Amino acid sequence: MQDLALQLALIGFAGIASQWLAWKLRLPAIVLLFAVGLLFGPLTGAMNPRNDFGDLYTPLVSTAVAIILFEGGLTLNFREIRETSTAVRRIVLLSGPMVWLLTALAAHYVGDLSWPTSLVLGALLVVTGPTVIMPLLRHAKLKARPASILRWEAIVNDPLGALFAVICFEGYLVIHGQHAAEGLVLDVIFALVIAIGGGIAAGRALGWLFTRGHAPEYLKAPILFAVVVAMNALTNLVLEEAGLLTVTVMGITMANARISSLNELKRFKETITILLVSGLFIVLTASLEAETILSLEWKAVAFIVAVLFIIRPLAIGLSTIGAGLDWKERLLVSWIAPRGIVAVAVAGLFGATLTNLGVADGDRMIAYTFAVVAATILLHGFTLGPLAKLLDLKAAARPGVLLVGASRFTIALARRLKAQEVPVLIADSNWSRISEARLAEVETWYGEILSEAAHHNLNLSRFDHMIAATDNDAYNALITTDFAPEIGRSDVFQIGETGESERRSMSFTIGGLPLFKPGKSFAQLRDLVVDGWNFQATRLTDEFSYKKFVETRVEGTQILLWIKPSGALVFASSEGSGDPVEGDTIISFGPPRADRDQEKIAKATTTDKDVRAERARRTIESVKRKAQTL
């Protein structure tokens, strides 16, 4: 395909379509992206971006990877790893070098690669790829500690692995007389100074610029984007690929600064990153040539087995001894190590360069890297969820509900959902109200839901839905607006009456969906609970259909949601929710049972004055007499 504009459009469309399809089918997105890249490139020969893009290929890939790593750095806050900081340090500082050394030995003695190729390949496979691990973590919904360890390792190890590969490559040039050893040492030291010192300085400078009001809101994201690209390019002038470390340090620095607009910047960068990851993975995979894939033999399979089943578990097992992790967490972390874009991009760069310098098996490094990437994407992508479930390391086996505001209404709802095995938690900053929820044996979180402590300590991956039900409608709107980008705008709900006029109603872009239609205020719900209204769970069957359910309810009863047999929750007030069907369990909010019986009697008396009405009346009178005697 010679038309580059059409090629870019096809790559972009296929990348986002793969992301959407993966979300719809609940599959790891990286698996579909890898398959699309193979289809576009080696399998059909429709495109070869490396040849088609020419000299622009390498700088475009390098810049895209730098932006992805910076966005990853923005997610790393030191408060998040207070419990796992020891484990993270050991995995990066001890496990990384061990993986490098052992992988190089395996590449030479098992894969039969030359020492230059083996050393560079060993360095490359230190990385575990945030572009792969992030979608997997989003899909698997792990508990906070193992998720934090895997995320930190992936983001910090990526630039370090690339830097290790650069040092190996430059070392080869020194040995063969193309560089002076003193020059390499100075370049490495200078690059580290720029990467660490420059990354911290740039991050703090941007924080000062943004917090002091020296940049308007509409320019903050463009300024950030331009500085990331510039810092990556400047560091690369000193030492190739060292810019990845610079932008990672810069992102971590900004993540730990108190920048009020950081959330908006994160969302912008996350959007850019999804686009780049989707397109970049297809580009890199499509650039792989069929001859390279066919060059793989049984030695490559043996090498992959050694990397996945011996080297990684051994390195993690030794480095995490006494690091405060239990055996389940150590086992999960030792298995999950998918490689991604950085390994592929740097392998393509150095593989071709080594071949041009006379290393006969330089191209085989590209094939081995892709083989490891493909194996880890498939094996780790499809086993992370089941393994986490087997080890009881998933945050929640079913979609959960986060309730904000402890009251009789939310406590009653939480108890009903808990009885249906739906994960539920009530958050409130008032101790007396939260105490009532704790007495009701409902899981609680005491504190301000909008605080940094809640952001770092409350694992939101457990919850697919939020209900803001405090006594302040404006506060409910603020909470749902803040959490909507993370949980999903169609999955955040709030109580409260809708405004009677345009002047009093909020903008449709603010707040969550109404929990009830028409809306009910906090006071109304409180009075209904005092009057005896409660929540009921009713399962629909072949004999008891939705139509019969509606017919047997007292007037005023409202369906809040229903639970599908798969555990998925469908809220009645959601757009396009439809009606519950056989097998669904309806959670309804209505008057007490005695009032329902009276309603049945009234209906029976007016429509059919037969024995059933008399029997119902006698039953109620009998219950009242027994209550009086007690």
Side-chain angles (χ1 to χ4, degrees), residues 86-100:
T86 302
V88 170
R89 282 199 306 270
R90 290 189 181 183
I91 289 174
V92 172
L93 300 178
L94 299 180
S95 174
M98 276 193 284
V99 169
W100 180 7

Side-chain angles (χ1 to χ4, degrees), residues 49-251:
R50 180 184 294 277
N51 296 332
D52 297 339
F53 291 0
D55 294 338
L56 289 176
Y57 178 84
T58 299
L60 285 177
V61 169
S62 176
T63 302
V65 172
I67 294 170
I68 292 168
L69 285 181
F70 172 75
E71 193 274 335
L74 279 179
T75 67
L76 300 182
N77 194 294
F78 291 123
R79 296 187 181 186
E80 179 186 310
I81 58 167
R82 287 175 177 172
E83 295 183 9
T84 58
S85 57
T86 302
V88 170
R89 282 199 306 270
R90 290 189 181 183
I91 289 174
V92 172
L93 300 178
L94 299 180
S95 174
M98 276 193 284
V99 169
W100 180 7
L101 175 61
L102 294 175
T103 304
L105 292 172
H108 182 70
Y109 291 108
V110 177
D112 198 25
L113 298 178
S114 64
W115 276 117
T117 303
S118 297
L119 289 171
V120 175
L121 179 60
L124 287 178
L125 296 184
V126 169
V127 308
T128 53
T131 56
V132 185
I133 199 66
M134 295 298 194
L136 292 184
L137 293 177
R138 191 181 300 118
H139 176 72
K141 297 184 178 180
L142 299 183
K143 289 184 177 178
R145 287 211 313 186
S148 174
I149 291 172
L150 290 172
R151 182 167 63 253
W152 272 82
E153 180 198 10
I155 295 172
V156 175
N157 265 358
D158 250 23
L160 291 180
L163 190 61
F164 292 161
V166 171
I167 293 173
C168 289
F169 175 74
E170 294 291 338
Y172 171 80
L173 297 180
V174 169
I175 293 173
H176 287 76
Q178 299 193 28
H179 283 329
E182 297 81 2
L184 173 60
V185 173
L186 290 175
D187 286 346
V188 171
I189 294 175
F190 191 32
L192 288 176
V193 170
I194 294 178
I196 299 175
I200 294 174
R204 290 184 174 178
L206 286 174
W208 177 85
L209 188 73
F210 293 165
T211 55
R212 298 295 181 90
H214 296 301
E217 290 297 323
Y218 73 93
L219 279 182
K220 286 182 178 179
I223 289 173
L224 195 61
F225 189 88
V227 173
V228 170
V229 174
M231 292 299 296
N232 175 62
L234 288 174
T235 314
N236 285 345
L237 292 176
V238 179
L239 189 65
E240 194 69 32
E241 303 303 327
L244 300 182
L245 181 60
T246 306
V247 296
T248 303
V249 172
M250 179 179 160

Side-chain angles (χ1 to χ4, degrees), residues 18 32 342 428 522 544 606:
S18 298
L32 297 182
V342 172
D428 201 308
F522 180 88
F544 190 75
T606 57

Side-chain angles (χ1 to χ4, degrees), residues 206-423:
L206 286 174
W208 177 85
L209 188 73
F210 293 165
T211 55
R212 298 295 181 90
H214 296 301
E217 290 297 323
Y218 73 93
L219 279 182
K220 286 182 178 179
I223 289 173
L224 195 61
F225 189 88
V227 173
V228 170
V229 174
M231 292 299 296
N232 175 62
L234 288 174
T235 314
N236 285 345
L237 292 176
V238 179
L239 189 65
E240 194 69 32
E241 303 303 327
L244 300 182
L245 181 60
T246 306
V247 296
T248 303
V249 172
M250 179 179 160
I252 296 175
T253 301
M254 295 191 68
N256 290 274
R258 301 182 67 86
I259 302 175
S260 59
S261 56
L262 188 61
N263 283 339
E264 289 78 7
L265 296 175
K266 281 182 181 179
R267 289 165 191 162
F268 170 78
K269 298 294 288 184
E270 185 178 6
T271 301
I272 297 297
T273 298
I274 291 174
L275 289 170
L276 291 176
V277 168
S278 303
L280 194 55
F281 213 90
I282 293 176
V283 165
L284 292 170
T285 310
S287 298
L288 186 64
E289 296 181 354
E291 294 78 9
T292 304
I293 298 177
L294 295 175
S295 68
L296 294 171
E297 51 188 359
W298 68 267
K299 293 178 181 178
V301 177
F303 171 73
I304 293 171
V305 170
V307 170
L308 268 63
F309 295 95
I310 299 175
I311 296 174
R312 170 73 178 185
L314 180 62
I316 294 297
L318 292 176
S319 63
T320 56
I321 294 175
L325 305 180
D326 60 37
W327 71 269
K328 293 181 180 180
E329 293 169 329
R330 294 174 69 191
L331 177 60
L332 182 73
V333 173
S334 68
W335 169 242
I336 302 300
R339 275 64 170 188
I341 283 177
V342 172
V344 173
V346 180
L349 171 65
F350 289 131
T353 307
L354 285 173
T355 302
N356 294 333
L357 292 173
V359 180
D361 57 1
D363 281 340
R364 292 182 66 197
M365 179 176 67
I366 302 175
Y368 273 56
T369 304
F370 262 100
V372 173
V373 169
T376 54
I377 284 175
L378 293 174
L379 292 176
H380 299 160
F382 286 108
T383 61
L384 176 56
L387 181 60
K389 185 176 181 180
L390 180 65
L391 297 176
D392 193 27
L393 292 177
K394 287 183 74 72
R398 300 176 60 182
V401 179
L402 173 62
L403 297 167
V404 181
S407 64
R408 290 188 178 183
F409 171 77
T410 55
I411 292 172
L413 174 57
R415 295 182 66 179
R416 176 52 61 190
L417 292 174
K418 183 181 177 182
Q420 300 300 315
E421 299 182 350
V422 175

